[in-house]
């Protein structure tokens, strides 16, 4: 049976000299994100929120007809369906979700929260943190902004137009985990009925896959104006379940994640494991699953 139930994308991406996600700024110093792993090691991270945001932006960009998005998503407002008068005028959770799913591809794929009537629709796409596989190289570069025509002086005379600031830059291999649940596309989570037809579900699925391709082909996060990442490679596995079996997720922090997944495939007979060795291979392998039909409850 060639249907898609769930897909997990697990891989290692190599980003050089990027500053995709930062903790925030203290004075004129911007701090990179630091996270702690199970073994106590501190490493560098890019949050799932940031990665999900990048995926949303790519979906928006790749959608030719922006009229297929709700008013909020048309201008990439995070409120999503909660801004729609048509949704908020509904008197039940069922009809509010129904309206939101019919109106907007991004609300459907990425989820939303409506305050009145109160209802949440979980995202069909999930991202974990991108985690630096030790050793990540970090550096904080000091930059000075100079006014045009200003002469640099050796002494620290008070120069109001000069601003010294510190920018973190990191290089390394990052573990990526993401889960996509195509069986839930168009599915009203209140009454468990599909609100859009199979053809539209497939179009939304294809748009989401394209956004996955695009976000690794060009990763737009923070500070890309001057820290556009030098993306070197992306390799890993695409795990597909074709029947109602939750697609497993194993972190590429585990060096044996591919072998483990292949053993799980053999033991469960419920998943396919597709390896990819480069960015172009990733694009090709994603293309290879884009024409398949989606599992339905
Ligand atoms: Zn929307």
């Amino acid at each position: 049976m060639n249907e898609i139930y769930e897909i997990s994308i697990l891989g290692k991406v190599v980003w050089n000299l990027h500053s995709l996600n930062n903790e925030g700024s203290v004075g004129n110093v911007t701090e990179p994100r630091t996270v702690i792993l199970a073994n106590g090691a501190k490493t560098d991270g890019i949050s799932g929120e940031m990665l999900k945001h990048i995926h949303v932006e790519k979906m928006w960009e790749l959608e030719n007809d922006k009229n297929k998005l709700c008013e909020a998503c048309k201008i990439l407002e995070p409120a999503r369906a909660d801004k729609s008068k048509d949704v908020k005028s509904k008197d039940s959770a069922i009809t509010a979700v129904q309206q939101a799913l019919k109106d907007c591809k991004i609300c459907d794929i990425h989820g939303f929260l409506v305050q009145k009537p109160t209802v949440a629709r979980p995202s069909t796409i999930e991202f974990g943190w991108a985690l630096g596989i030790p050793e990540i190289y970090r550096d904080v570069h000091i930059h000075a902004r100079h006014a045009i025509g200003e002469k640099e002086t050796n002494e620290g005379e008070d120069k109001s137009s000069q601003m010294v600031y510190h920018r973190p830059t990191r290089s390394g291999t990052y573990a990526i985990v993401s889960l996509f649940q195509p069986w839930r596309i168009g599915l009203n989570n209140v009454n468990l009925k599909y609100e859009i037809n199979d053809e539209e579900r497939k179009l939304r699925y294809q748009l989401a896959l394209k956004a996955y391709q695009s976000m690794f082909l060009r990763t737009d996060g923070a500070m890309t104006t001057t820290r556009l990442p030098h993306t070197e490679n992306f390799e890993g596995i695409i795990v597909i379940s074709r029947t109602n079996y939750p697609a497993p997720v194993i972190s590429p922090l585990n060096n044996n994640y591919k072998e483990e997944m292949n053993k799980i495939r053999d033991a469960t007979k419920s998943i396919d494991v597709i390896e990819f060795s480069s960015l172009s291979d990733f694009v090709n392998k994603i293309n290879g699953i884009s024409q398949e039909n989606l599992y339905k409850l």
Side-chain angles (χ1 to χ4, degrees), residues 9 20 34 36 69 105 162 178 224 245 286:
I9 296 174
L20 286 168
T34 301
I36 299 174
L69 306 174
K105 295 181 173 186
Q162 181 179 325
S178 183
T224 49
Y245 189 85
I286 290 286

Side-chain angles (χ1 to χ4, degrees), residues 41-42 142 171 174 256 277 281:
K42 282 188 181 173
I142 299 170
S171 298
Y174 290 78
N256 298 319
S277 58
D281 199 23

Side-chain angles (χ1 to χ4, degrees), residues 36-266:
I36 299 174
L37 303 178
N39 64 2
K42 282 188 181 173
T43 188
D44 192 67
I46 296 147
S47 72
E49 284 87 349
M50 175 61 88
L51 297 173
K52 198 164 182 290
H53 174 74
I54 296 169
H55 190 276
V56 169
E57 283 200 350
K58 296 296 186 186
M59 271 189 72
W60 177 88
E61 187 174 354
L62 289 162
E63 173 55 56
N64 289 324
D65 184 358
K66 307 288 192 262
N67 286 320
K68 292 198 166 165
L69 306 174
C70 69
E71 292 305 312
C73 292
K74 244 180 227 170
I75 52 170
L76 280 172
E77 260 197 49
R80 301 210 182 112
D82 200 28
K83 241 204 146 187
S84 161
K85 287 189 190 78
D86 291 340
V87 172
K88 290 196 291 188
S89 65
K90 297 289 184 260
D91 53 12
S92 73
I94 289 179
T95 49
V97 172
Q98 181 179 56
Q99 188 71 44
L101 294 185
K102 283 183 173 166
D103 285 351
C104 183
K105 295 181 173 186
I106 289 179
C107 284
D108 184 10
I109 297 290
H110 276 278
F112 53 84
L113 178 73
V114 176
Q115 296 177 68
K116 204 168 180 248
T118 308
V119 61
R121 166 56 154 61
S123 177
T124 67
I125 287 186
E126 299 172 357
F127 281 97
W129 283 71
L131 292 174
I133 299 173
E135 178 62 34
I136 290 289
Y137 299 99
R138 282 175 157 189
D139 207 352
V140 174
H141 298 259
I142 299 170
H143 301 268
R145 188 187 68 186
H146 298 282
I148 295 169
E150 181 189 350
K151 283 184 182 153
E152 290 190 43
T153 57
N154 290 329
E155 294 307 317
E157 287 169 28
D158 196 19
K159 287 269 183 190
S160 59
S161 56
Q162 181 179 325
M163 185 177 77
V164 176
Y165 55 99
H166 304 258
R167 284 286 162 80
T169 305
R170 295 99 84 186
S171 298
T173 301
Y174 290 78
I176 299 283
V177 295
S178 183
L179 175 68
F180 181 24
Q181 300 175 299
W183 67 276
R184 290 181 43 233
I185 296 174
L187 182 69
N188 189 322
N189 54 305
V190 185
N191 61 1
L192 296 184
K193 291 222 167 80
Y194 289 96
E195 303 291 6
I196 54 173
N197 64 32
D198 293 351
E199 198 184 340
E200 178 62 21
R201 286 182 71 221
K202 197 160 167 177
L203 288 173
R204 292 181 184 188
Y205 165 72
Q206 290 169 339
L207 183 65
L209 288 184
K210 265 194 189 177
Y212 267 118
Q213 292 173 330
S214 184
M215 72 179 285
F216 290 104
L217 291 179
R218 209 190 74 204
T219 309
D220 295 305
M223 293 194 188
T224 49
T225 317
T226 54
R227 297 285 182 287
L228 189 64
H230 285 256
T231 306
E232 204 175 307
N233 197 30
F234 184 37
E235 58 96 15
I237 48 176
I238 302 166
V239 182
I240 298 170
S241 75
R242 299 180 181 282
T243 179
N244 54 326
Y245 189 85
V249 172
I250 303 175
S251 173
L253 284 174
N254 177 337
N255 279 333
N256 298 319
Y257 75 107
K258 291 181 189 170
E259 293 75 19
E260 273 291 287
M261 196 60 84
N262 285 329
K263 284 183 197 166
I264 292 167
R265 174 197 59 206
D266 296 343

